[in-house]
Amino acid sequence: MQFSVCMRDCYDTCSILSEFKDGRLRVKGNPEHPITAGFLCPKGALLPKWFHADDRLKRPLVRAGERGSGEFRETDWDEAIGLVAEKLRETIEEYGSESVLVYQYAGDRGVVNYAFPLRLFHHLNTAMLDYGICDRAGQEALRDVYGTAIGMDPEDLKNQRLIVYWGINAFWTNLHGFALAKRHDLEIWTVDVVRTETAKRSHRFFRIRPDTDVLFALGVAKVIIEEGLYDEAFVRENVYGFEEFKNYVKTLSLDYVGRETGISIGEIETFAREFADKRGVIHIGYGFQRSLAGGEAVRAIAILPALVGHRFGFIYDMKTIDKSYAEGAFLRTKPTKRIPQMKLAEYIERGEIKFLYIYNSNPLASLPNQNRLRNALLENDVFVVTHDIFLTDTALYSDVVLPANTFFERLDIADSYYHRYVALNEPVARLYGKSNSEVTRLLAKALGINNPYLYESDEDVIKKVLEINGLSWEELKKNGFVKVPEKPRKWETPSGKIEFYSRRAVERGLSPFPKYEKFEGRYPLRLLTPTHRMTITSQYHNTYGMADPSLYINPADANEREIKDGDAVEVFNDYGRIRTRARLSDDVPPGVVLLYKAFWVKLLGWNANFLTADETVKKYGNASAYHSTWIDVKRV
C-alpha cells in the first residue's frame, strides 16, 4: 500500500493507506498516525467513489453557448492551453497585469497543488486574493490578544481535564479531534446557538443567542476575576492590561449578560467556577466568527484560557511549516494588488477584473450573494478559466474548463491547521486530468517564459520546503508522516505579553477590550448556514449525493407562520429567494433557522448562498459575515 493524505479543507488532514487493485482504489486510515488513528470519517471512507466518479472531467472544454448554459465543445490540451495563454497575454497587454486575478482556495491543500500555480501569477505581477472567506476574523482577533492564531498542540489534550467546543460541531467537522478528547477522557462542553451533534454528545451544553458570545465570555471572565479564581502569578507575569480589564468587566451586570445571552446567572457562575477549577482549554470554531460580531467574540473567548494559566490554551489554527518557497512570491517585480475575496463581484462590476483563473475553489457555490456574483459574470467583460475535477457551478460560467486530477494521482505533501504532522501523498493511479503544477508548466511554456522556477519538479519543490523547515524527506518517505517540532514560543504582541488590553486592536480603530454590539436585520429570522456532515462546503455533493436541503425551523416560529413539518416553504430576503421543505426542530432556537451551505446549484436549483449577506467585517480583514443574514419564510 502507498501513503496518501486527505487534501480536503478539513482540520484532521488524515493519513491514508491506499492501493489500486483490479482497477479499483481502496483506502483505509493509517493506524500509525497519532491523530488519524486508523479510521476515516464517513467522507474519507467514500473517497474511492469520488475518485472513480463517472462525471469526472476527461477532456478540456471551451464555451460554445451563453455563459452558464452548460454548452461546451470538447477540445485537446494544446488548443485549450493555447487559448488560455493567448487570452492571458492579450488581457495583460490591453488592461495591465493587475486586471488578471488568480482565485484559489483550499479545495485541495497539497503544498504543491495549492501554491505552485501562484508562481506563474507572481511572475506575471497579477492581482492576488486577500483571503477572508473562512477564519479571517478569528485570526485577527487572536493576533490582537496573543500575537498569533496558532494555539496548542492537540496532542497536549492528554494533559488536560476539560475542553470547551465553542461554536464548532466537532463531531462532524473535527471527528478525529473529538475522538482524541474522548480517548483522553476529557470532560466535554459545548457552547453554541444550535444543539448540534457535538452538543448532544457533550457533558454540558450552553445554548447562547446569536452574537452574544462576547457577552457570555466577558461574564465568565468577570466571575473568575471577582471570585479570585484566576491564576494570579501567571496573570501578573504574562498579561498586559489586566487591571484595566478587571475594571472593565466590573461595570458588567450579570443580570444583563443573562438576559442577552439566554444563559442564567447560575449557569454563568457554574461555567466560570468549573472552567477555572479544571483549567479548561477552548477549541474556538470558525462558523460563528463569520459574522459581524465574530471578531469581538473571539477576542473575548481568547482571554479565558489565559485567566486560568494557559500560555496558548486554545485551538484555532496550526500553521506549522513555511510554505512560501512553493508559492514563489519572490518572482514578483511589482507590489502586490490584493483583492478582498468576499468582494469578487464588486471588483468585476467595477471593471477591475478582466481575466479570472480559478482553481481549488468553486466560488459560484461558496461565495455569498450568488445572484449578484452571477449577474456580474453575465453582464461584464471577463474571461474565466476554471481548472477542476468536475463540471462545477463555477465551471458552467467559464470560457475554458481544464480537467484536474485528484490527489491520488500525484506526488505532494500536506500539513494540517489542527495538528503538527506533515503527511506524504504518493501517486496511486492515473485516470484523468492534470495537476495544478502540470498546467502551470504548460501555461508558462505557451507564454514563452523561461524562468526555471516555473518548471521545477513537484519532488524538488517538496524537498526544498522540507529542507527549509528542517524536516527529513527520507523519514517522510519511510513513515508517511513526520511531526513538526514545536520551537520555543513567545507572544508577538506590542507588549510581548498576552494583551487583555489590545494595543493592536486600538491601532485598527477598535476598543481596547472586546465590545458587545447588537445587530438586527430587516427580516425577523436569523439564518445560519453551517456545513453538512457529508460535504466540505460544496465538495462531494455531486459524488456522494447526501445533501439535506431542508430548512430547519423552531416549532414556535413555524406555528406562527402556519407551517407544518414537511411543508413546502419559500425562504426570502433582499438578496434572493429559494423554495424547499421545512423541518421542525427544537435543535434550533426561536428566531433562528438553519440551511446547510453550498450545495451544487446545478443539482439542487439553488443553495443557501442565494440568501447570504456579502457584507464584510472591515476592521477584521474584510472577513466574511455569512451568519449575519436575516430572512423570512412562508408556506407555499
Side-chain angles (χ1 to χ4, degrees), residues 112-169:
V112 176
N113 214 49
Y114 177 92
F116 190 87
L118 299 177
R119 288 187 172 192
L120 174 62
F121 293 94
H122 281 307
H123 177 85
L124 295 171
N125 294 305
T126 71
M128 311 294 279
L129 277 185
D130 186 13
Y131 306 112
I133 196 170
C134 183
D135 61 349
R136 182 62 177 271
Q139 290 268 353
E140 299 294 338
L142 288 164
R143 290 189 190 112
D144 288 338
V145 181
Y146 291 91
T148 179
I150 298 173
M152 64 182 286
D153 182 344
E155 288 189 278
D156 188 45
L157 289 177
K158 65 180 179 288
N159 300 315
Q160 308 302 325
R161 297 168 60 195
L162 167 67
I163 185 168
V164 181
Y165 287 113
W166 200 307
I168 172 175
N169 187 6

Side-chain angles (χ1 to χ4, degrees), residues 494-510:
S495 65
K497 296 184 176 185
I498 300 169
E499 294 200 353
F500 287 11
Y501 181 110
S502 175
R503 291 157 69 176
R504 182 177 182 269
V506 170
E507 287 171 4
R508 299 208 316 284
L510 295 166

Side-chain angles (χ1 to χ4, degrees), residues 89-104:
R89 190 185 293 111
E90 287 177 1
T91 303
I92 291 173
E93 287 175 358
E94 185 171 353
Y95 299 104
S97 60
E98 291 182 345
S99 69
V100 174
L101 174 67
V102 53
Y103 186 107
Q104 43 74 244

Side-chain angles (χ1 to χ4, degrees), residues 521-527 557 560-561 572 590-592 630-633:
R522 292 187 60 239
Y523 293 85
L525 298 173
R526 184 72 170 265
L527 173 65
D557 293 320
E560 186 180 319
R561 292 162 175 80
F572 58 94
V592 173
W630 284 264
I631 60 92
D632 206 348
V633 56

Side-chain angles (χ1 to χ4, degrees), residues 198-245:
T198 304
K200 293 172 186 177
R201 289 165 173 80
S202 298
H203 296 95
R204 286 193 176 162
F205 173 43
F206 298 85
R207 170 176 270 171
I208 60 172
R209 297 189 179 113
D211 295 340
T212 64
D213 307 76
V214 60
L215 260 188
F216 183 39
L218 291 174
V220 169
K222 175 185 176 73
V223 174
I224 290 174
I225 292 171
E226 293 182 358
E227 293 190 5
L229 305 174
Y230 63 97
D231 188 326
E232 228 176 307
F234 179 87
V235 167
R236 183 171 56 252
E237 183 71 22
N238 300 301
V239 170
Y240 175 84
F242 174 73
E243 289 300 325
E244 294 90 336
F245 181 74

Side-chain angles (χ1 to χ4, degrees), residues 203-366:
H203 296 95
R204 286 193 176 162
F205 173 43
F206 298 85
R207 170 176 270 171
I208 60 172
R209 297 189 179 113
D211 295 340
T212 64
D213 307 76
V214 60
L215 260 188
F216 183 39
L218 291 174
V220 169
K222 175 185 176 73
V223 174
I224 290 174
I225 292 171
E226 293 182 358
E227 293 190 5
L229 305 174
Y230 63 97
D231 188 326
E232 228 176 307
F234 179 87
V235 167
R236 183 171 56 252
E237 183 71 22
N238 300 301
V239 170
Y240 175 84
F242 174 73
E243 289 300 325
E244 294 90 336
F245 181 74
K246 179 180 178 180
N247 291 331
Y248 177 66
V249 295
K250 187 184 290 186
T251 65
L252 190 64
S253 159
L254 287 186
D255 283 332
Y256 177 69
V257 174
R259 287 196 305 273
E260 291 294 296
T261 63
I263 306 287
S264 71
I265 293 176
E267 287 180 293
I268 296 166
E269 291 173 337
T270 296
F271 188 111
R273 290 164 186 160
E274 294 197 23
F275 183 83
D277 177 61
K278 295 165 184 171
R279 296 187 72 244
V281 295
I282 303 177
H283 190 152
I284 305 170
Y286 294 160
F288 75 96
Q289 56 88 56
R290 297 174 195 146
S291 68
L292 296 174
E296 295 294 291
V298 173
R299 279 177 67 195
I301 296 162
I303 286 170
L304 300 181
L307 274 176
V308 300
H310 289 293
R311 290 177 54 79
F312 297 96
F314 62 91
I315 295 171
Y316 190 78
D317 201 359
M318 186 59 72
K319 288 184 171 64
T320 52
I321 61 172
D322 178 358
K323 296 174 276 193
S324 59
Y325 177 77
E327 178 177 335
F330 51 80
L331 296 171
R332 296 193 77 88
T333 56
K334 296 179 182 177
T336 306
K337 176 181 178 178
R338 295 278 177 188
I339 292 179
Q341 187 173 17
M342 309 311 296
K343 295 182 178 292
L344 178 63
E346 179 183 326
Y347 277 75
I348 293 172
E349 290 165 349
R350 284 159 40 177
E352 293 191 36
I353 299 171
K354 295 295 184 180
F355 186 106
L356 190 57
Y357 187 90
I358 300 167
Y359 72 96
N360 284 2
S361 190
N362 187 10
L364 269 75
S366 59

